Amino acid sequence: MTTETAFRIEKKNPTVQGICLVIVVCVTVGYLIDGDRKSFVASAQPVQLIKPKENADDAGQCSSSKRHPTYQCLPTSLLIGVQKGGTGELILWLGSHPKIHFDPREVRYFQTEQLERWGTYVRRPAFRLSPSEVRGGHITMEKSPGYARLHCRAAPRIQLKMPSAKLIIILRDPAKRAYSGFQHHCGRQRVMQKGDGTVYFKGPSTTLGAKRAPCTAKTFDRLIQKFKRYLIETNRSGTDLVSKWAESNTCFSPHDDYMEDPYHIFSTGFYPAVFSEYWRRFNHSQLLVIFSEEFTAAPKEVLYQIEEYLSLEHASYEAHKNQNGFWVLDGKTGRRSKGNRARYPPANAEAMRFLNEFYRPSVQALMKMLPEHKANFDKWLIEPH
Ligand SMILES: Nc1ncnc2c1ncn2[C@@H]1O[C@H](COP(=O)(O)OS(=O)(=O)O)[C@@H](OP(=O)(O)O)[C@H]1O
């Protein structure tokens, strides 16, 4: 109905005119009642409105001010990792859900060494929803795989600021994750090689004369050899490391900067550490564990699982299997998929066998924490690489 038609009806029909007057009065009264909150929402959903101030917020809450007709809605859910688990692809799929507004960037707010002001997080453009979106039950989300790796820092902060957050973690076979992590960093020119063949991560101690290492299975083997030497020198085994966490509940990798931790590609795969921190602090119903292997094989089923967890209706996802064997969304979103990238060479079987054994105690510890996922963990333990 155009404004002109509406105006004509109003002029001709006194009943319609009366109805319009009642609506105007109701809306105005509603606005005045809620005036002290500087906001008004005629919502079918129970939306909690808050003033953007320190410590008074929680996941999924929306705030607004008279100056802005939109709402700033804190994420209902956070995708906390793990790095190389398929988080990038997952946000493409979740972001294509009509009611999910995903921050396309890694926000990393809760993991940074110096917390930025809370207001800058609350006011992120990606967390902005229109009044009709708020009424329609739309939600915001963000992903930061560092929240898993830097769990000691991130978990308490998330608990403090957004205690009801729904946390999602996508896990991947830690041995495959480690090799994928190596390729990730190597492709970004962070793996260096000296003239004598020594391989290491570029960091504060990078020596002059070192050059970028080739991203091959052989370079990965060299890194594994170095890691093995480190484990022998420090008298550590996978079992020792797992029990160390269980006892002290400390961060294995407390550094903000990856490169200060030369073995971060291996330590990130110690999932029980991540879990103990989130498990201890959050209601277990707030943690959804999904698997990279399942997401790769049947993404729609994993998406339905997440939709149910977030109490959202199922969306339809149009996807096709690409030349790399990945399910990729059709259209514009799908073109951004990492699944379309050129594949890297496979790791050598011996390196993967070592990692498989190295992670065994950690996977077994995880199995005890999450027995309902035993079948997934069993595959990591027995699958030949
Ligand atoms: N459908 C689909 N399409 C593309 N990629 C898929 C998909 N499902 C899972 N994966 C796996 O995602 C791995 C990349 O993980 P992340 O996106 O978490 O990496 S990152 O941490 O954001 O850098 C990437 O790992 P690598 O292939 O080893 O690089 C993929 O195996």
Side-chain angles (χ1 to χ4, degrees):
M1 190 193 295
T2 63
T3 321
E4 209 187 319
T5 352
F7 184 67
R8 255 189 278 128
I9 291 172
E10 265 183 55
K11 273 210 331 193
K12 280 184 190 159
N13 188 338
T15 320
V16 174
Q17 217 171 348
I19 293 170
C20 288
L21 189 69
V22 170
I23 292 172
V24 170
V25 169
C26 288
V27 168
T28 314
V29 168
Y31 188 88
L32 289 177
I33 288 171
D34 210 34
D36 62 337
R37 291 182 174 197
K38 301 193 185 74
S39 52
F40 173 79
V41 109
S43 173
Q45 302 271 330
V47 175
Q48 265 185 290
L49 296 165
I50 48 140
K51 288 179 193 176
K53 65 179 183 193
E54 298 283 325
N55 293 330
D57 317 303
D58 199 354
Q61 290 194 342
C62 301
S63 62
S64 82
S65 71
K66 260 186 188 166
R67 278 189 300 141
H68 299 290
T70 52
Y71 287 85
Q72 288 299 136
C73 297
L74 280 170
T76 296
S77 174
L78 304 174
L79 179 55
I80 60 171
V82 296
Q83 194 195 36
K84 305 320 293 177
T87 55
E89 191 66 18
L90 189 54
I91 69 161
L92 290 183
W93 286 68
L94 285 172
S96 73
H97 189 288
K99 290 198 174 172
I100 300 179
H101 299 247
F102 225 118
D103 197 317
R105 297 206 311 205
E106 283 185 17
V107 179
R108 301 178 186 164
Y109 176 77
F110 295 103
Q111 77 192 53
T112 43
E113 212 143 359
Q114 296 296 321
L115 266 193
E116 290 170 52
R117 284 189 51 236
W118 177 233
T120 58
Y121 184 74
V122 175
R123 285 191 283 273
R124 289 183 74 80
F127 298 164
R128 197 167 293 156
L129 298 184
S130 70
S132 65
E133 286 168 340
V134 172
R135 279 195 299 273
H138 289 226
I139 62 163
T140 63
M141 284 185 77
E142 66 123 321
K143 86 130 180 170
S144 301
Y147 293 167
R149 190 176 68 86
L150 297 163
H151 49 273
C152 291
R153 196 180 294 154
R157 289 173 178 174
I158 297 171
Q159 186 194 22
L160 177 73
K161 295 291 193 184
M162 305 206 294
S164 327
K166 293 188 171 187
L167 308 171
I168 301 176
I169 187 157
I170 179 161
L171 298 180
R172 181 179 181 186
D173 178 334
K176 289 181 181 159
R177 199 223 69 81
Y179 186 56
S180 175
F182 160 76
Q183 287 293 346
H184 172 98
H185 291 291
C186 192
R188 284 164 180 73
Q189 310 193 10
R190 294 170 187 158
V191 182
M192 311 300 283
Q193 185 168 298
K194 282 193 212 162
D196 63 1
T198 322
V199 176
Y200 57 97
F201 274 92
K202 190 174 170 180
S205 60
T206 307
T207 353
L208 285 173
K211 58 179 188 354
R212 188 189 160 190
C215 302
T216 56
K218 197 171 168 193
T219 304
F220 188 61
D221 284 347
R222 288 187 167 147
L223 203 62
I224 295 248
Q225 291 313 323
K226 201 174 161 187
F227 184 49
K228 278 183 184 169
R229 282 198 297 277
Y230 161 80
L231 291 174
I232 292 165
E233 280 160 20
T234 54
N235 200 17
R236 284 172 174 180
S237 70
T239 323
D240 295 339
L241 291 174
V242 173
S243 50
K244 186 182 148 216
W245 285 319
E247 281 160 24
S248 62
N249 203 21
T250 52
C251 279
F252 182 70
S253 178
H255 301 291
D256 214 17
D257 182 349
Y258 283 121
M259 303 310 146
E260 284 174 37
D261 173 5
Y263 300 112
H264 64 86
I265 61 160
F266 305 116
S267 59
T268 302
F270 275 92
Y271 304 143
V274 174
F275 273 96
S276 59
E277 204 49 42
Y278 286 100
W279 220 233
R280 207 161 58 83
R281 294 175 177 277
F282 290 88
N283 187 313
H284 295 181
S285 64
Q286 285 175 261
L287 244 173
L288 178 72
V289 180
I290 52 173
F291 289 86
S292 183
E293 295 81 7
E294 285 181 351
F295 177 57
T296 306
K300 285 185 193 177
E301 281 167 33
V302 172
L303 264 290
Y304 290 163
Q305 214 183 322
I306 299 175
E307 287 164 348
E308 269 164 33
Y309 171 64
L310 298 176
S311 309
L312 293 172
E313 53 265 47
H314 291 327
S316 61
Y317 303 94
E318 301 301 327
H320 61 278
K321 216 171 204 177
N322 74 0
Q323 72 284 1
N324 290 328
F326 284 121
W327 283 102
V328 167
L329 285 168
D330 293 341
K332 217 167 131 193
T333 312
R335 284 207 288 277
R336 299 208 313 270
S337 169
K338 288 182 189 171
N340 294 326
R341 291 183 187 167
R343 305 301 297 149
Y344 47 74
N348 287 330
E350 185 47 40
M352 295 314 267
R353 260 196 299 276
F354 162 74
L355 286 177
N356 211 24
E357 279 312 305
F358 173 70
Y359 285 119
R360 186 172 292 275
S362 153
V363 174
Q364 282 162 343
L366 194 58
M367 214 182 260
K368 283 193 191 135
M369 294 172 86
L370 304 167
E372 66 275 29
H373 298 298
K374 186 176 179 306
N376 298 77
F377 301 134
D378 274 340
K379 282 189 200 148
W380 293 351
L381 294 175
I382 59 172
E383 243 177 37
H385 293 291

